[in-house]
Amino acid sequence: MTIEENAKEKRTGNLHYKGIGNLSSQENHSEYGVLPEDGMPVGNGRMGTLVWLTPNALHMQINRVDVFGMDSSSRSVRGTDSDYSGGCAFLDMELSSADQPVFGENTEQTLSIEKGQLHIVGNEVEILCYGDMEEDFLVLEIKDFRKMPHRISAHLRALRFQSQYAVGCNNRNYTHPALYRDGNISYSKQVKQLASTVLEKEDQKIALRQIFREGSFYCSSLVEVTAPNSQVFTWHRNPTETVLEALPRENSTETPAKTVFIITSYATLEEDKTFDLIPTEERCADMEVLRICNEQWWKEFWKRAPYLSFSGENGRGEQITEDINYFFYIMAITSRGKYMPRYGGLLFSTGGDFKMWGSQYWWHNASCYYAALISTGFTELAEAFISHMENWRNACEKAAVQQWGTKGLWIPETTWFNGPEEIPTELQEEFIALYTCKRKWEERSEAFKKFAEGRNSFDTRYSYISHRADGYAERGFGVFGYVSHIFSTTAKIAYWMWKCFLILDDREWLREKAYPFIRGAAELYVNLPLIAEGKDGNLHVEHCNNHEAVWDCMDAVSEMTAMHGILPVAIKAAEFLETDKERILVWRKFLNRLAPIPTSAEKGALVTGEEKDECWASARSKGQYGSANCEHISDPVTLYDYCTPETEDEEIRKLGSNTMNMIKRHYGYGSKVRVNTLDMCVDAVSRSNDPHAMGAFVAAMHDLDSYEKDFTDLKGCAYTKILANRMTLREGPQAPDVQRLGHITSAMANAVCQGYPKAPGEEPVLYLFSSLPEKWDAQIRLHTVGGWQAEARAAAGKCTEAVLTGGRNPLRIRNPWGESPVLLVNESGEDIQEGKYLTVRSDCRITPADTDDSVNKTCISR
């Protein structure tokens, strides 16, 4: 029977999923068997794994956010998906013989997101798995109720299966395995990159070490497995597998045999680095204490985390609540390191190094996660994003100068963990001439061609190379490719840093963390050679992309919106910090001369054909490649606060309204809304003061009814729609993600608690429940603009009360009850305000003035 035929049959699996913690039971939507990607996610924010089962074993792949097989200098990527990152080791825990399986149809797996624990109940075997939230190790506590407990063995396996080595050749970096004294070694080589895997064993532990080298690049990782307080045996099974076997203790009817396994991991980019080993014996001396400590960490985490609880018609509100809670759990176990987790795969690869789209970072995808964290005020988990940006900063400053001949910094839409590679001095002039179209593509030098050999086509700089071509092939559009001429990524990242500052209300944080990127984005545009005066006397940007949809056009909506949005923010930030006075004048002059965002009424504008009234257009001209679409014309609504519910400019408001009406029609609003995983329309609708549409669009993102029309390789991901663990394989095999849950989380935060200014860089006005779906009840607690915390309730879509605390400066609020009188109660007494806007100066509770003051005044809690 073919895969396609199997896919038509109702799915049956060999495991039963009870549910995910306090979430409802989740059916597996795949039509083709139980997948490893169905496994339950466990981690501590820096290391993690899915846990999946076969009849006699539990399986993991240990992954880390800071393990990389290569960097931006690599010339060894034979295929576009063959660069890798994250993976450290396979771990198989064998609990029984094949003829006496412990896992089957009645096995229950319960992932408690409240405690960060996975509980598995099999046939006379019970397992508890969790990550230590302070140190980098995972814990497996196994209780064996069988009369004759089975020996449990841990098998560490290499991720790369082939063993390649050569003798008798110089400069190969090889040692014959027979001569290697520190353990069993195997090699995997592609072009100039060498990956070495070393299996090590001692009396009480086994280990797997990886070493990656290419040129000056170095990275290594280490995974160790121990079974404290158990008698163990260790041995090497073969060149790519080592085993630790724990002997069972005697069982009794009252006390089951217990075995604990500890899995630690480490990583470094420094060749001379010696790992400071985690004192697991000390931390694991009392397992009950360790477990309680971790449960306490999660208890405190959920107290700090945003709280969004909804109930609505047909259980929709409850579904969305579960999506949001699960999203926060996933980010807690993946986003507490120095680097962002990669959007496709996160820390949950299950099949070795291979994953679709390789190891690079796409900002549009990463923003699905971090826009949600910042929109909800959860800046704690956005620190990995900030740290990663700081890691990129130096490389991106050089790239702006060396590739584009501009200033500031340029963050490519797609790039490596260490940012774009430095360009040799002798090639910089040619790079600038070619990428700014001052020199014909056919005239590029042999030195340029040589430098570009062996490069990854997913690297923004080399996206003119065709993906997955049979050998080297160019796309045929000169220097242009999907992401070659995108500058707005820099502005988007700067904007989200500005949003972080508005929430943190920390002047020094703005100066040290955010302002270098905000300033860098402004300087990138102001000095960009592609921007010049047009016949109309305005400044226009030529030879740019409208994100991935259109290549080599003029005045792409994504770029024009970015300039109109980020320059006022840069001016505001500089004035606030009392710096760059001369640059403020330059930025303001540039902004005043900048052409407006293109509209459908202009002759030659690139339009969709769906416009009924004047809307924003994809670009002011057609491009070499691509066509108009409805996604990025929503940028003025979604990003930079260019068009918000507070916007006073009537022309902008009208264009925004017309554009949003077209977008809603395009996605089926009025009949059946269908959206794709990465569609930004849900975020745009949430910022449009449209409760009725919000309900339809957020439900569509949850359901993914048009999944087969999404950018998804259905056959490649076994016809899976939504996995048992609520993730999807939208990005393909080996790349589980929760991008859709990020969109849902961000959109609901915008809908219920968001600060909207009248224009970019202006003071925000807090809106509560402005787009809460009609007839939904809600309880929320979020950190929001000005350092304030907002707690509020709504019934049938309408606000009933709000509590605001913690801010240092006055906060302006859009009256949730229209213009009706409102009662503000604080420690000093009571205050009646009325009208369209309210002003809060200290901690207070707000209710309609005619509300009985005996209503519960306590804070919202979980």
Side-chain angles (χ1 to χ4, degrees):
M1 186 178 289
T2 66
I3 290 178
E4 288 82 355
E5 289 170 337
N6 269 313
K8 295 176 182 178
E9 294 185 356
K10 184 177 180 181
R11 167 155 185 180
T12 58
N14 66 330
L15 301 173
H16 168 64
Y17 295 93
K18 185 176 181 180
I20 305 178
N22 58 338
L23 310 184
S24 61
S25 182
Q26 173 71 23
E27 293 297 328
N28 191 312
H29 289 251
S30 171
E31 298 292 341
Y32 189 63
V34 173
L35 309 175
E37 293 93 333
D38 283 324
M40 295 301 173
V42 176
N44 76 343
R46 295 173 296 275
M47 66 178 291
T49 182
L50 292 183
V51 177
W52 69 100
L53 308 176
T54 52
N56 71 327
L58 175 150
H59 305 276
M60 299 178 173
Q61 178 179 313
I62 306 303
N63 302 289
R64 289 187 61 92
V65 296
D66 50 2
V67 171
F68 307 97
M70 53 202 71
D71 70 354
S72 60
S73 66
S74 177
R75 302 188 183 195
S76 299
V77 184
R78 286 177 173 170
T80 44
D81 301 308
S82 61
D83 53 312
Y84 49 83
S85 64
C88 298
F90 285 123
L91 178 61
D92 307 308
M93 304 296 302
E94 292 190 1
L95 289 90
S96 69
S97 56
D99 63 334
Q100 294 181 324
V102 294
F103 302 126
E105 289 287 351
N106 295 321
T107 296
E108 293 185 351
Q109 301 182 67
T110 304
L111 177 65
S112 170
I113 65 170
E114 182 181 4
K115 295 181 178 180
Q117 297 174 352
L118 170 62
H119 185 220
I120 303 170
V121 178
N123 182 22
E124 296 187 289
V125 171
E126 187 176 339
I127 301 173
L128 190 67
C129 180
Y130 53 93
D132 186 85
M133 303 310 290
E134 293 185 16
E135 300 283 1
D136 286 354
F137 65 86
L138 305 179
V139 178
L140 277 172
E141 298 184 32
I142 303 173
K143 293 181 180 180
D144 192 338
F145 295 90
R146 292 171 290 190
K147 292 181 180 179
M148 293 294 292
H150 197 279
R151 294 188 177 192
I152 300 173
S153 56
H155 300 247
L156 267 180
R157 294 189 288 120
L159 298 185
R160 286 158 298 284
F161 311 106
Q162 55 186 339
S163 182
Q164 305 168 332
Y165 57 89
V167 294
C169 301
N170 295 324
N171 302 318
R172 294 283 186 169
N173 292 324
Y174 294 120
T175 299
H176 190 288
L179 302 177
Y180 197 83
R181 299 304 182 193
D182 295 333
N184 280 13
I185 188 167
S186 61
Y187 300 100
S188 180
K189 193 175 194 301
Q190 53 178 350
V191 193
K192 300 180 180 181
Q193 189 253 16
L194 178 66
S196 305
T197 302
V198 183
L199 296 175
E200 304 168 355
K201 71 178 183 67
E202 299 177 8
D203 290 342
Q204 297 299 317
K205 69 180 178 182
I206 57 175
L208 189 153
R209 189 184 303 270
Q210 297 181 126
I211 302 169
F212 306 103
R213 297 179 187 272
E214 183 176 356
S216 61
F217 172 74
Y218 175 89
C219 180
S220 70
S221 69
L222 174 66
V223 173
E224 294 186 330
V225 179
T226 60
N229 302 317
S230 293
Q231 183 180 357
V232 302
F233 295 98
T234 63
W235 72 91
H236 293 311
R237 171 165 284 181
N238 56 54
T240 60
E241 181 179 1
T242 190
V243 182
L244 180 147
E245 184 176 81
L247 296 180
R249 289 177 292 176
E250 291 187 7
N251 201 349
S252 69
T253 55
E254 294 82 16
T255 306
K258 296 181 181 179
T259 308
V260 174
F261 290 88
I262 305 297
I263 305 105
T264 56
S265 72
Y266 312 84
T268 183
L269 294 166
E270 302 173 26
E271 186 165 359
D272 298 328
K273 172 77 172 180
T274 300
F275 295 124
D276 295 326
L277 299 183
I278 298 167
T280 53
E281 287 190 14
E282 179 181 332
R283 280 193 62 77
C284 302
D286 188 324
M287 294 307 301
E288 184 176 0
V289 170
L290 178 68
R291 194 183 319 116
I292 291 172
C293 286
N294 280 284
E295 290 176 358
Q296 184 62 33
W297 187 95
W298 281 101
K299 183 178 181 179
E300 294 301 318
F301 170 83
W302 289 115
K303 286 181 180 179
R304 301 191 304 271
Y307 180 63
L308 296 105
S309 178
F310 305 104
S311 58
E313 291 181 304
N314 302 317
R316 280 299 187 191
E318 290 80 359
Q319 287 177 337
I320 298 307
T321 299
E322 293 184 359
D323 288 343
I324 293 170
N325 286 338
Y326 188 57
F327 175 77
F328 289 142
Y329 170 77
I330 291 295
M331 295 311 292
I333 63 173
T334 61
S335 185
R336 297 176 60 241
K338 183 179 180 182
Y339 300 94
M340 298 183 291
R342 192 179 169 281
Y343 69 94
L346 297 167
L347 291 179
F348 307 128
S349 295
T350 58
D353 286 324
F354 169 77
K355 63 169 69 74
M356 294 293 288
W357 309 104
S359 65
Q360 292 186 66
Y361 294 80
W362 268 248
W363 174 248
H364 186 67
N365 299 80
S367 69
C368 297
Y369 301 104
Y370 288 97
L373 293 176
I374 298 169
S375 292
T376 57
F378 207 3
T379 55
E380 171 187 332
L381 291 183
E383 289 178 5
F385 154 62
I386 302 299
S387 174
H388 203 133
M389 293 306 111
E390 291 180 313
N391 178 64
W392 274 351
R393 179 179 163 188
N394 184 52
C396 292
E397 287 174 344
K398 291 179 179 178
V401 176
Q402 296 173 357
Q403 181 170 334
W404 298 104
T406 184
K407 297 180 182 179
L409 55 81
W410 172 62
I411 304 176
E413 172 64 18
T414 61
T415 194
W416 303 82
F417 79 92
N418 63 332
E421 182 189 18
E422 188 167 352
I423 298 172
T425 303
E426 64 273 13
L427 287 178
Q428 291 175 18
E429 184 177 336
E430 182 174 4
F431 261 88
I432 295 169
L434 289 169
Y435 282 81
T436 59
C437 300
K438 301 294 192 296
R439 182 171 175 175
K440 292 182 179 179
W441 185 241
E442 296 75 17
E443 297 175 355
R444 63 196 186 279
S445 69
E446 290 302 316
F448 178 92
K449 295 177 183 178
K450 181 74 173 176
F451 186 73
E453 283 182 3
R455 303 299 189 170
N456 191 323
S457 67
F458 292 152
D459 185 329
T460 292
R461 189 172 280 164
Y462 306 105
S463 62
Y464 60 82
I465 302 171
S466 180
H467 299 340
R468 305 187 180 93
D470 185 12
Y472 180 91
E474 294 185 8
R475 296 187 179 280
F477 298 93
V479 72
F480 292 91
Y482 280 106
V483 291
S484 61
H485 287 64
I486 296 174
F487 306 97
S488 57
T489 300
T490 309
K492 292 171 186 173
I493 288 170
Y495 164 71
W496 285 112
M497 288 194 166
W498 171 251
K499 295 286 282 186
C500 268
F501 158 69
L502 292 178
I503 295 165
L504 294 169
D505 194 27
D506 184 334
R507 186 189 193 97
E508 289 310 306
W509 192 94
L510 174 64
R511 185 188 308 278
E512 297 297 325
K513 303 290 187 180
Y515 186 67
F517 290 87
I518 296 169
R519 185 186 193 278
E523 288 291 277
L524 168 72
Y525 281 121
V526 167
N527 296 284
L528 188 64
L530 292 173
I531 295 177
E533 183 178 306
K535 293 180 180 180
D536 58 2
N538 292 327
L539 295 177
H540 298 267
V541 57
E542 297 183 324
H543 302 302
C544 63
N545 284 21
N546 187 34
H547 211 262
E548 295 189 23
V550 185
W551 312 349
D552 191 16
C553 64
M554 183 175 78
D555 289 352
V557 64
S558 56
E559 299 299 335
M560 297 305 293
T561 305
M563 286 186 274
H564 279 284
I566 205 61
L567 281 161
V569 168
I571 292 168
K572 179 75 171 184
E575 290 176 340
F576 182 71
L577 295 174
E578 299 179 329
T579 188
D580 281 329
K581 294 181 180 180
E582 293 182 359
R583 299 314 299 165
I584 290 174
L585 298 176
V586 173
W587 299 340
R588 187 170 281 125
K589 181 179 179 181
F590 179 93
L591 186 60
N592 290 337
R593 296 185 60 203
L594 187 61
I597 298 172
T599 75
S600 60
E602 300 177 36
K603 184 178 180 180
L606 185 59
V607 297
T608 65
E610 299 178 46
E611 296 84 359
K612 290 184 178 180
D613 302 295
E614 185 179 8
C615 302
W616 283 305
S618 292
R620 247 184 199 98
S621 73
K622 294 182 179 180
Q624 275 201 65
Y625 170 88
S627 58
N629 63 49
C630 280
E631 185 171 347
H632 287 283
I633 59 172
S634 69
D635 277 10
V637 176
T638 309
L639 298 166
Y640 314 109
D641 297 314
Y642 183 79
C643 180
T644 77
E646 280 293 301
T647 298
E648 295 178 349
D649 187 307
E650 289 300 323
E651 183 178 353
I652 292 176
R653 289 182 68 89
K654 185 176 181 180
L655 283 168
S657 177
N658 292 344
T659 302
M660 287 306 304
N661 287 336
M662 183 184 74
I663 287 172
K664 287 184 283 190
R665 290 195 304 270
H666 173 81
Y667 286 103
Y669 182 58
S671 55
K672 175 67 174 179
V673 175
R674 296 179 184 272
V675 301
N676 294 336
T677 309
L678 297 188
D679 284 338
M680 298 170 64
C681 57
V682 184
D683 299 78
V685 168
S686 71
R687 297 171 62 89
S688 301
N689 240 348
D690 192 341
H692 190 272
M694 184 61 198
F697 274 80
V698 76
M701 183 59 78
H702 174 88
D703 292 341
L704 286 186
D705 281 339
S706 62
Y707 195 66
E708 69 282 356
K709 296 180 180 179
D710 203 342
F711 190 69
T712 303
D713 176 8
L714 287 175
K715 186 175 181 179
C717 59
Y719 297 90
T720 301
K721 179 181 177 182
I722 300 173
L723 294 159
N725 55 30
R726 297 172 187 257
M727 301 183 200
T728 70
L729 290 176
R730 190 263 182 192
E731 304 306 330
Q734 281 300 291
D737 72 89
V738 292
Q739 293 170 104
R740 98 186 210 282
L741 303 187
H743 271 307
I744 288 170
T745 302
S746 179
M748 290 308 301
N750 289 330
V752 300
C753 180
Q754 201 58 244
Y756 293 120
K758 62 183 179 182
E762 298 294 329
E763 291 298 318
V765 176
L766 182 65
Y767 275 60
L768 295 173
F769 304 116
S770 59
S771 289
L772 177 67
E774 294 178 334
K775 300 181 181 180
W776 282 28
D777 296 342
Q779 296 183 44
I780 65 170
R781 182 188 68 234
L782 301 111
H783 289 287
T784 188
V785 292
W788 289 87
Q789 177 175 276
E791 302 181 56
R793 301 175 189 268
K798 304 297 182 182
C799 184
T800 58
E801 66 170 325
V803 177
L804 294 162
T805 57
R808 294 192 297 267
N809 298 305
L811 176 67
R812 202 170 183 223
I813 307 174
R814 179 67 170 88
N815 189 338
W817 298 278
E819 299 186 13
S820 300
V822 171
L823 175 66
L824 287 80
V825 180
N826 55 34
E827 290 183 353
S828 301
E830 298 180 352
D831 178 26
I832 297 288
Q833 296 186 24
E834 60 183 319
K836 188 174 181 180
Y837 297 100
L838 314 173
T839 300
V840 173
R841 294 181 172 82
S842 62
D843 296 359
C844 68
R845 175 174 173 265
I846 309 172
T847 59
D850 58 355
T851 299
D852 182 356
D853 198 46
S854 64
V855 174
N856 176 29
K857 300 180 182 180
T858 60
C859 292
I860 294 166
S861 60
R862 287 186 176 274

